Amino acid sequence: MAGQGRCSAMLSMVLLLVSAAAVVQGASYTVGDATGWKIPGVMGTSATYLQDWVANKTFVVGDTLTFVYTPNQHNVLTVSADAYTACTIANPLLRLTTGNDTVTLAAGTNYYVCGVGTHCSLGQKIAVNATAAPPGTITPPAAPGTPTTPAPGNSASGNAVVVLQVLAAVTVSLVGSLALW
């Protein structure tokens, strides 16, 4: 029986570690939701839809943004604050062109613009402030605008799934431990 208790305790620890690793993931967002990354004020979009999209969310370090757009019509440039303000696209920090590009937010304000034609000056740009993660959350370090594998979905619903996974793992661990005591 003592061996089973130690095995159970080990299993509990492994499950808790795996669950904690799942918390590392940030929320995943699709920029502009179903509308995607387009010029504001054209093709049925409001003139402020991108700014409204950013304003209605709270971002933390490690969250990912996926930019969905038609390649050759748009792109995504990660730029400095000055380049963002002036819509200077000559020397971006990062240029993304696939039409389904995902970046991981770093601490502070992250600046993204479209570098095609005059799209930036027409308002196709966002400034996203990522704050430190809530206490108890582990987040990986990320360089500004670091591209990652595109995330499925278009919302922050991933956090709810992670919380449920953690709760399920903790419950299984506790029940398993109690059953063997």
Side-chain angles (χ1 to χ4, degrees):
M1 278 298 205
Q4 287 180 338
R6 277 181 266 171
C7 184
S8 175
M10 261 319 227
L11 179 61
S12 297
M13 290 305 295
V14 168
L15 287 173
L16 286 173
L17 289 173
V18 169
S19 299
V23 177
V24 170
Q25 298 173 329
S28 298
Y29 299 94
T30 297
V31 175
D33 293 325
T35 303
W37 180 241
K38 297 180 180 177
I39 303 169
V42 297
M43 297 177 14
T45 63
S46 76
T48 60
Y49 94 95
L50 286 172
Q51 304 312 313
D52 294 343
W53 180 84
V54 171
N56 290 322
K57 293 171 182 45
T58 301
F59 300 97
V60 297
V61 173
D63 285 354
T64 59
L65 303 181
T66 300
F67 293 83
V68 178
Y69 57 92
T70 304
N72 300 321
Q73 292 182 10
H74 302 286
N75 62 22
V76 179
L77 306 180
T78 301
V79 297
S80 67
D82 290 340
Y84 175 85
T85 302
C87 282
T88 304
I89 59 171
N91 297 305
L93 303 171
L94 181 67
R95 180 182 303 270
L96 304 168
T97 60
T98 71
N100 190 23
D101 303 310
T102 300
V103 295
T104 301
L105 296 176
T109 305
N110 299 259
Y111 299 96
Y112 305 99
V113 303
C114 181
V116 174
T118 59
H119 294 193
C120 179
S121 61
L122 292 171
Q124 192 175 0
K125 61 183 186 174
I126 58 173
V128 178
N129 185 45
T131 59
T137 303
I138 303 167
T139 56
T146 303
T148 61
T149 304
N154 64 0
S155 71
S157 62
N159 279 351
V161 171
V162 170
V163 169
L164 290 175
Q165 289 172 337
V166 170
L167 289 174
V170 169
T171 302
V172 168
S173 296
L174 290 174
V175 169
S177 295
L178 290 174
L180 294 174
W181 285 101

